[in-house]
mmCIF file with all atom_site columns, all heavy atoms in Angstrom:
data_model
loop_
_atom_site.group_PDB
_atom_site.id
_atom_site.type_symbol
_atom_site.label_atom_id
_atom_site.label_alt_id
_atom_site.label_comp_id
_atom_site.label_asym_id
_atom_site.label_entity_id
_atom_site.label_seq_id
_atom_site.pdbx_PDB_ins_code
_atom_site.Cartn_x
_atom_site.Cartn_y
_atom_site.Cartn_z
_atom_site.occupancy
_atom_site.B_iso_or_equiv
_atom_site.pdbx_formal_charge
_atom_site.auth_seq_id
_atom_site.auth_comp_id
_atom_site.auth_asym_id
_atom_site.auth_atom_id
_atom_site.pdbx_PDB_model_num
ATOM 1   N N   . ASP A 1 182 ? 18.180 22.417 -19.723 1.00 0.00 ? 198 ASP A N   1
ATOM 2   C CA  . ASP A 1 182 ? 18.523 23.513 -20.613 1.00 0.00 ? 198 ASP A CA  1
ATOM 3   C C   . ASP A 1 182 ? 17.832 23.429 -21.912 1.00 0.00 ? 198 ASP A C   1
ATOM 4   O O   . ASP A 1 182 ? 17.424 24.514 -22.473 1.00 0.00 ? 198 ASP A O   1
ATOM 5   C CB  . ASP A 1 182 ? 20.029 23.359 -20.865 1.00 0.00 ? 198 ASP A CB  1
ATOM 6   C CG  . ASP A 1 182 ? 20.927 23.720 -19.649 1.00 0.00 ? 198 ASP A CG  1
ATOM 7   O OD1 . ASP A 1 182 ? 20.347 24.305 -18.643 1.00 0.00 ? 198 ASP A OD1 1
ATOM 8   O OD2 . ASP A 1 182 ? 22.099 23.307 -19.579 1.00 0.00 ? 198 ASP A OD2 1
ATOM 9   N N   . SER A 1 183 ? 17.530 22.237 -22.480 1.00 0.00 ? 199 SER A N   1
ATOM 10  C CA  . SER A 1 183 ? 16.885 22.111 -23.739 1.00 0.00 ? 199 SER A CA  1
ATOM 11  C C   . SER A 1 183 ? 15.471 22.479 -23.664 1.00 0.00 ? 199 SER A C   1
ATOM 12  O O   . SER A 1 183 ? 14.830 22.997 -24.623 1.00 0.00 ? 199 SER A O   1
ATOM 13  C CB  . SER A 1 183 ? 17.021 20.637 -24.278 1.00 0.00 ? 199 SER A CB  1
ATOM 14  O OG  . SER A 1 183 ? 16.264 19.802 -23.540 1.00 0.00 ? 199 SER A OG  1
ATOM 15  N N   . LEU A 1 184 ? 14.809 22.263 -22.476 1.00 0.00 ? 200 LEU A N   1
ATOM 16  C CA  . LEU A 1 184 ? 13.404 22.706 -22.277 1.00 0.00 ? 200 LEU A CA  1
ATOM 17  C C   . LEU A 1 184 ? 13.267 24.180 -22.201 1.00 0.00 ? 200 LEU A C   1
ATOM 18  O O   . LEU A 1 184 ? 12.151 24.704 -22.397 1.00 0.00 ? 200 LEU A O   1
ATOM 19  C CB  . LEU A 1 184 ? 12.878 21.951 -20.996 1.00 0.00 ? 200 LEU A CB  1
ATOM 20  C CG  . LEU A 1 184 ? 12.651 20.523 -21.076 1.00 0.00 ? 200 LEU A CG  1
ATOM 21  C CD1 . LEU A 1 184 ? 12.353 19.916 -19.738 1.00 0.00 ? 200 LEU A CD1 1
ATOM 22  C CD2 . LEU A 1 184 ? 11.647 20.114 -22.123 1.00 0.00 ? 200 LEU A CD2 1
ATOM 23  N N   . GLY A 1 185 ? 14.285 24.849 -21.759 1.00 0.00 ? 201 GLY A N   1
ATOM 24  C CA  . GLY A 1 185 ? 14.193 26.305 -21.710 1.00 0.00 ? 201 GLY A CA  1
ATOM 25  C C   . GLY A 1 185 ? 13.657 26.852 -20.342 1.00 0.00 ? 201 GLY A C   1
ATOM 26  O O   . GLY A 1 185 ? 13.149 27.953 -20.244 1.00 0.00 ? 201 GLY A O   1
ATOM 27  N N   . TYR A 1 186 ? 13.787 25.966 -19.309 1.00 0.00 ? 202 TYR A N   1
ATOM 28  C CA  . TYR A 1 186 ? 13.412 26.379 -17.957 1.00 0.00 ? 202 TYR A CA  1
ATOM 29  C C   . TYR A 1 186 ? 11.880 26.621 -17.827 1.00 0.00 ? 202 TYR A C   1
ATOM 30  O O   . TYR A 1 186 ? 11.113 26.180 -18.676 1.00 0.00 ? 202 TYR A O   1
ATOM 31  C CB  . TYR A 1 186 ? 14.173 27.624 -17.505 1.00 0.00 ? 202 TYR A CB  1
ATOM 32  C CG  . TYR A 1 186 ? 15.633 27.491 -17.872 1.00 0.00 ? 202 TYR A CG  1
ATOM 33  C CD1 . TYR A 1 186 ? 16.150 28.242 -18.947 1.00 0.00 ? 202 TYR A CD1 1
ATOM 34  C CD2 . TYR A 1 186 ? 16.510 26.533 -17.335 1.00 0.00 ? 202 TYR A CD2 1
ATOM 35  C CE1 . TYR A 1 186 ? 17.432 28.120 -19.381 1.00 0.00 ? 202 TYR A CE1 1
ATOM 36  C CE2 . TYR A 1 186 ? 17.839 26.390 -17.705 1.00 0.00 ? 202 TYR A CE2 1
ATOM 37  C CZ  . TYR A 1 186 ? 18.296 27.179 -18.790 1.00 0.00 ? 202 TYR A CZ  1
ATOM 38  O OH  . TYR A 1 186 ? 19.572 27.096 -19.168 1.00 0.00 ? 202 TYR A OH  1
ATOM 39  N N   . MET A 1 187 ? 11.452 27.268 -16.749 1.00 0.00 ? 203 MET A N   1
ATOM 40  C CA  . MET A 1 187 ? 10.021 27.429 -16.475 1.00 0.00 ? 203 MET A CA  1
ATOM 41  C C   . MET A 1 187 ? 9.396  28.638 -17.252 1.00 0.00 ? 203 MET A C   1
ATOM 42  O O   . MET A 1 187 ? 10.135 29.683 -17.412 1.00 0.00 ? 203 MET A O   1
ATOM 43  C CB  . MET A 1 187 ? 9.805  27.617 -14.938 1.00 0.00 ? 203 MET A CB  1
ATOM 44  C CG  . MET A 1 187 ? 10.062 26.356 -14.186 1.00 0.00 ? 203 MET A CG  1
ATOM 45  S SD  . MET A 1 187 ? 9.811  26.519 -12.385 1.00 0.00 ? 203 MET A SD  1
ATOM 46  C CE  . MET A 1 187 ? 11.292 27.368 -11.967 1.00 0.00 ? 203 MET A CE  1
ATOM 47  N N   . ASP A 1 188 ? 8.217  28.512 -17.661 1.00 0.00 ? 204 ASP A N   1
ATOM 48  C CA  . ASP A 1 188 ? 7.474  29.546 -18.381 1.00 0.00 ? 204 ASP A CA  1
ATOM 49  C C   . ASP A 1 188 ? 7.284  30.706 -17.393 1.00 0.00 ? 204 ASP A C   1
ATOM 50  O O   . ASP A 1 188 ? 6.489  30.547 -16.472 1.00 0.00 ? 204 ASP A O   1
ATOM 51  C CB  . ASP A 1 188 ? 6.192  28.907 -18.985 1.00 0.00 ? 204 ASP A CB  1
ATOM 52  C CG  . ASP A 1 188 ? 5.492  29.977 -19.879 1.00 0.00 ? 204 ASP A CG  1
ATOM 53  O OD1 . ASP A 1 188 ? 5.582  31.182 -19.677 1.00 0.00 ? 204 ASP A OD1 1
ATOM 54  O OD2 . ASP A 1 188 ? 4.780  29.493 -20.776 1.00 0.00 ? 204 ASP A OD2 1
ATOM 55  N N   . GLU A 1 189 ? 7.782  31.869 -17.748 1.00 0.00 ? 205 GLU A N   1
ATOM 56  C CA  . GLU A 1 189 ? 7.695  33.000 -16.826 1.00 0.00 ? 205 GLU A CA  1
ATOM 57  C C   . GLU A 1 189 ? 6.371  33.750 -16.915 1.00 0.00 ? 205 GLU A C   1
ATOM 58  O O   . GLU A 1 189 ? 6.116  34.761 -16.280 1.00 0.00 ? 205 GLU A O   1
ATOM 59  C CB  . GLU A 1 189 ? 8.872  33.966 -16.991 1.00 0.00 ? 205 GLU A CB  1
ATOM 60  C CG  . GLU A 1 189 ? 10.166 33.282 -16.552 1.00 0.00 ? 205 GLU A CG  1
ATOM 61  C CD  . GLU A 1 189 ? 11.409 34.119 -16.723 1.00 0.00 ? 205 GLU A CD  1
ATOM 62  O OE1 . GLU A 1 189 ? 11.301 35.250 -17.300 1.00 0.00 ? 205 GLU A OE1 1
ATOM 63  O OE2 . GLU A 1 189 ? 12.499 33.639 -16.292 1.00 0.00 ? 205 GLU A OE2 1
ATOM 64  N N   . ASN A 1 190 ? 5.417  33.277 -17.721 1.00 0.00 ? 206 ASN A N   1
ATOM 65  C CA  . ASN A 1 190 ? 4.078  33.753 -17.814 1.00 0.00 ? 206 ASN A CA  1
ATOM 66  C C   . ASN A 1 190 ? 3.215  33.143 -16.632 1.00 0.00 ? 206 ASN A C   1
ATOM 67  O O   . ASN A 1 190 ? 2.114  33.624 -16.445 1.00 0.00 ? 206 ASN A O   1
ATOM 68  C CB  . ASN A 1 190 ? 3.400  33.441 -19.109 1.00 0.00 ? 206 ASN A CB  1
ATOM 69  C CG  . ASN A 1 190 ? 4.044  34.183 -20.296 1.00 0.00 ? 206 ASN A CG  1
ATOM 70  O OD1 . ASN A 1 190 ? 4.127  35.414 -20.259 1.00 0.00 ? 206 ASN A OD1 1
ATOM 71  N ND2 . ASN A 1 190 ? 4.468  33.378 -21.269 1.00 0.00 ? 206 ASN A ND2 1
ATOM 72  N N   . LEU A 1 191 ? 3.777  32.150 -15.992 1.00 0.00 ? 207 LEU A N   1
ATOM 73  C CA  . LEU A 1 191 ? 2.965  31.353 -14.929 1.00 0.00 ? 207 LEU A CA  1
ATOM 74  C C   . LEU A 1 191 ? 3.589  31.514 -13.574 1.00 0.00 ? 207 LEU A C   1
ATOM 75  O O   . LEU A 1 191 ? 4.749  31.831 -13.431 1.00 0.00 ? 207 LEU A O   1
ATOM 76  C CB  . LEU A 1 191 ? 3.006  29.891 -15.322 1.00 0.00 ? 207 LEU A CB  1
ATOM 77  C CG  . LEU A 1 191 ? 2.314  29.551 -16.701 1.00 0.00 ? 207 LEU A CG  1
ATOM 78  C CD1 . LEU A 1 191 ? 2.693  28.132 -17.119 1.00 0.00 ? 207 LEU A CD1 1
ATOM 79  C CD2 . LEU A 1 191 ? 0.873  29.719 -16.602 1.00 0.00 ? 207 LEU A CD2 1
ATOM 80  N N   . THR A 1 192 ? 2.720  31.381 -12.615 1.00 0.00 ? 208 THR A N   1
ATOM 81  C CA  . THR A 1 192 ? 3.088  31.402 -11.239 1.00 0.00 ? 208 THR A CA  1
ATOM 82  C C   . THR A 1 192 ? 2.784  30.046 -10.556 1.00 0.00 ? 208 THR A C   1
ATOM 83  O O   . THR A 1 192 ? 3.580  29.237 -10.260 1.00 0.00 ? 208 THR A O   1
ATOM 84  C CB  . THR A 1 192 ? 2.396  32.488 -10.428 1.00 0.00 ? 208 THR A CB  1
ATOM 85  O OG1 . THR A 1 192 ? 2.807  33.765 -11.046 1.00 0.00 ? 208 THR A OG1 1
ATOM 86  C CG2 . THR A 1 192 ? 2.849  32.537 -8.949  1.00 0.00 ? 208 THR A CG2 1
ATOM 87  N N   . LEU A 1 193 ? 1.491  29.770 -10.361 1.00 0.00 ? 209 LEU A N   1
ATOM 88  C CA  . LEU A 1 193 ? 1.047  28.550 -9.740  1.00 0.00 ? 209 LEU A CA  1
ATOM 89  C C   . LEU A 1 193 ? 1.323  27.283 -10.598 1.00 0.00 ? 209 LEU A C   1
ATOM 90  O O   . LEU A 1 193 ? 1.632  26.240 -10.049 1.00 0.00 ? 209 LEU A O   1
ATOM 91  C CB  . LEU A 1 193 ? -0.494 28.596 -9.542  1.00 0.00 ? 209 LEU A CB  1
ATOM 92  C CG  . LEU A 1 193 ? -0.999 29.591 -8.489  1.00 0.00 ? 209 LEU A CG  1
ATOM 93  C CD1 . LEU A 1 193 ? -2.540 29.596 -8.539  1.00 0.00 ? 209 LEU A CD1 1
ATOM 94  C CD2 . LEU A 1 193 ? -0.524 29.295 -7.110  1.00 0.00 ? 209 LEU A CD2 1
ATOM 95  N N   . PHE A 1 194 ? 1.318  27.421 -11.904 1.00 0.00 ? 210 PHE A N   1
ATOM 96  C CA  . PHE A 1 194 ? 1.511  26.245 -12.774 1.00 0.00 ? 210 PHE A CA  1
ATOM 97  C C   . PHE A 1 194 ? 2.835  26.315 -13.521 1.00 0.00 ? 210 PHE A C   1
ATOM 98  O O   . PHE A 1 194 ? 2.981  25.674 -14.525 1.00 0.00 ? 210 PHE A O   1
ATOM 99  C CB  . PHE A 1 194 ? 0.389  26.265 -13.795 1.00 0.00 ? 210 PHE A CB  1
ATOM 100 C CG  . PHE A 1 194 ? -0.969 25.837 -13.269 1.00 0.00 ? 210 PHE A CG  1
ATOM 101 C CD1 . PHE A 1 194 ? -1.847 26.710 -12.626 1.00 0.00 ? 210 PHE A CD1 1
ATOM 102 C CD2 . PHE A 1 194 ? -1.352 24.488 -13.327 1.00 0.00 ? 210 PHE A CD2 1
ATOM 103 C CE1 . PHE A 1 194 ? -3.057 26.284 -12.155 1.00 0.00 ? 210 PHE A CE1 1
ATOM 104 C CE2 . PHE A 1 194 ? -2.522 24.063 -12.812 1.00 0.00 ? 210 PHE A CE2 1
ATOM 105 C CZ  . PHE A 1 194 ? -3.382 24.930 -12.195 1.00 0.00 ? 210 PHE A CZ  1
#
Side-chain angles (χ1 to χ4, degrees):
D198 291 344
S199 73
L200 290 172
Y202 317 107
M203 290 179 284
D204 187 330
E205 295 181 353
N206 293 305
L207 297 167
T208 300
L209 293 174
F210 285 85

